[in-house]
Amino acid sequence: MSQKEVLITGANRGIGYEFARQYAKQGYKVTAVCRNNSKQLTELDVDIVEGIDVTKASDLLRLSETLGDKKIDILVNNAGLLHKDVLGELDAGNIRAQFEVNALAPLRVTEALLPNLKEGSKVAMITSRMGSIADNGSGSRYGYRMSKAALNAAGKSLSLDLKDQGISVVLLHPGFVQTDMVNHAGDIPAETAAERLIQRIDELSLDTTGRFFHSNGEGLPW
């Protein structure tokens, strides 16, 4: 039996790196996609495609050409961006950048790699409960919340559009994870978060496609 293939964006650090490390350890053939490589990533037994900005069409074309006809069993759209948006000090450019990376890029990556997906493939969107409108009890973080809500909407539509092709989609909240994005202020190690997220992806099927889950398995409100 051939190795299963997984592709991860934003794989050079944090949760993305842990996805790459743990999937490689499980015996998957890992394609780690990133803008800038990292020493820790180069030490893994994975294929690295660096210099890929997921917001640029030319880079996505290069990624597609690099993959050729390789079939992907699991696509993990993990690359993300967080700015602190406070009312009274809003920066429209920062908000747009978060939309480009957090909402539009995962959709564009998935579309670009559709020829590489097949019946039984799974697409994981790494989103956030901060994208939940019902769960918002603290306000602020406008660009991040808005972009993750948009990602949730895109993921739900993808789940409907791809179901007839046998491709399932899941929206996953990792938790408050100790990564560079939050200056390691989280309460969950990246290793634990990735382990839980991989479990959720393993459980994903066409029966649960389009759902929004916490990494601990709890269903989250939209």
Side-chain angles (χ1 to χ4, degrees):
M1 183 179 294
S2 60
Q3 283 180 296
K4 286 191 173 183
E5 298 271 357
V6 58
L7 184 144
I8 304 148
T9 64
N12 60 314
R13 64 179 186 173
I15 299 171
Y17 166 77
E18 278 298 326
F19 267 122
R21 186 184 70 82
Q22 293 186 34
Y23 270 123
K25 187 176 180 180
Q26 290 184 19
Y28 281 77
K29 184 69 173 176
V30 175
T31 301
V33 178
C34 56
R35 277 196 310 168
N36 302 304
N37 203 348
S38 64
K39 183 177 184 297
Q40 61 180 0
L41 185 59
T42 61
E43 293 173 350
L44 297 180
D45 183 19
V46 300
D47 292 335
I48 300 171
V49 185
E50 60 182 312
I52 299 295
D53 183 336
V54 291
T55 69
K56 293 183 177 179
S58 58
D59 286 4
L60 296 183
L61 177 60
R62 180 160 63 86
L63 174 60
S64 176
E65 291 173 342
T66 299
L67 293 176
D69 60 0
K70 178 188 291 185
K71 293 302 180 183
I72 300 169
D73 295 281
I74 300 172
L75 168 60
V76 181
N77 283 296
N78 166 75
L81 179 65
L82 169 66
H83 287 298
K84 295 180 179 179
D85 304 306
V86 180
L87 192 62
E89 302 176 6
L90 295 180
D91 184 319
N94 284 344
I95 292 174
R96 290 190 188 96
Q98 288 171 95
F99 264 96
E100 286 285 343
V101 175
N102 296 340
L104 187 54
L107 178 60
R108 294 175 70 186
V109 168
T110 304
E111 183 181 49
L113 301 186
L114 275 179
N116 302 97
L117 301 178
K118 58 186 176 61
E119 184 175 1
S121 291
K122 301 179 180 184
V123 178
M125 302 292 203
I126 306 305
T127 182
S128 171
R129 73 185 308 160
M130 291 181 74
S132 168
I133 296 172
D135 189 65
N136 186 351
S138 58
S140 192
R141 305 281 183 171
Y142 288 90
Y144 195 73
R145 289 187 186 279
M146 293 163 66
S147 62
K148 290 298 189 178
L151 174 59
N152 289 349
K156 179 63 177 181
S157 283
L158 277 172
S159 73
L160 297 171
D161 290 340
L162 297 178
K163 190 171 185 178
D164 286 347
Q165 298 178 45
I167 300 168
S168 51
V169 181
V170 67
L171 290 306
L172 293 172
H173 166 62
F176 189 26
V177 185
Q178 297 165 0
T179 64
D180 292 346
M181 181 181 282
V182 295
N183 295 316
H184 297 272
D187 55 14
I188 303 173
E191 179 179 359
T192 301
E195 182 180 357
R196 292 176 179 176
L197 292 168
I198 289 171
Q199 289 175 357
R200 303 289 80 79
I201 295 169
D202 285 347
E203 295 166 358
L204 175 62
S205 70
L206 289 176
D207 291 331
T208 56
T209 190
R211 298 279 301 278
F212 181 20
F213 291 107
H214 192 294
S215 64
N216 64 13
E218 171 193 357
L220 293 173
W222 300 110

